[in-house]
């Protein structure tokens, strides 16, 4: 599927705090914890627990969320399909959408029981 400017804008204006409980609910149903979710988000965005909570409290949009994030240098290693979109084929002009899908891919892997050391990608030596 192709990302459109409209789709990118729709995601950009969504409130992160309204989606976070869905991430957490999905993970808890699969035996994972809030701490693990926050660990994955922190690895990807650089937001520690306090920064993440502040963004939730201020009802930050995904646009603000990703503007403030310090995306991990190994984020380019996150590949695959999420919601019908192949991450590595999302055009650079839709960077926000790509980052959102990358984060969802990490959360997906966590929900499916993948080991944390596999989820938090490292460059191969």
């Amino acid at each position: 599927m192709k990302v459109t400017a409209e789709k990118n804008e729709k995601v950009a204006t969504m409130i992160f705090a309204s989606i976070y409980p869905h991430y957490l609910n999905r993970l808890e149903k699969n035996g994972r914890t809030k701490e693990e979710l926050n660990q994955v988000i922190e690895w990807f965005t650089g937001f520690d627990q306090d920064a993440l909570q502040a963004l939730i409290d201020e009802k930050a949009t995904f646009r603000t969320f990703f503007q403030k994030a310090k995306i991990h240098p190994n984020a380019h290693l996150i590949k695959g399909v999420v919601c019908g979109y192949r991450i590595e084929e999302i055009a650079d002009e839709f960077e926000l959408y790509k980052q959102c899908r990358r984060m969802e891919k990490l959360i997906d892997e966590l929900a499916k029981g993948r080991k944390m050391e596999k989820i938090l990608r490292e460059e191969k030596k």
Side-chain angles (χ1 to χ4, degrees):
M1 290 197 299
K2 289 273 183 231
V3 179
T4 62
E6 295 78 25
K7 189 83 167 160
N8 191 64
E9 187 58 25
K10 185 177 178 189
V11 169
T13 58
M14 287 171 42
I15 305 296
F16 175 75
S18 67
I19 304 301
Y20 181 85
H22 297 289
Y23 293 154
L24 183 57
N25 187 32
R26 176 164 183 233
L27 291 173
E28 288 178 340
K29 280 184 189 170
N30 288 292
R32 302 310 283 252
T33 65
K34 180 178 182 177
E35 290 71 28
E36 288 172 309
L37 171 59
N38 291 347
Q39 181 183 354
V40 166
I41 293 173
E42 182 173 352
W43 176 88
F44 185 61
T45 63
F47 297 134
D48 64 15
Q49 181 64 50
D50 292 339
L52 189 59
Q53 192 57 54
L55 288 163
I56 290 169
D57 292 345
E58 74 184 47
K59 298 195 179 345
T61 62
F62 272 97
R63 176 178 285 121
T64 301
F65 181 86
F66 285 114
Q67 282 173 343
K68 291 182 176 186
K70 291 176 181 56
I71 301 298
H72 195 282
N74 288 347
H76 67 280
L77 298 173
I78 304 166
K79 296 177 172 24
V81 177
V82 178
C83 300
Y85 293 91
R86 178 157 292 283
I87 293 169
E88 52 274 35
E89 292 176 1
I90 297 172
D92 290 343
E93 67 186 288
F94 303 122
E95 188 62 25
L96 183 141
Y97 195 83
K98 184 183 284 190
Q99 300 303 19
C100 191
R101 291 299 179 205
R102 282 178 171 159
M103 187 167 71
E104 287 176 4
K105 179 71 173 170
L106 297 175
I107 293 166
D108 237 19
E109 291 175 355
L110 189 60
K112 290 177 180 170
R114 195 163 196 215
K115 288 184 173 25
M116 194 61 82
E117 53 271 11
K118 295 274 192 198
I119 297 170
L120 309 181
R121 274 108 170 132
E122 293 295 325
E123 290 277 6
K124 289 191 171 62
K125 304 278 187 254

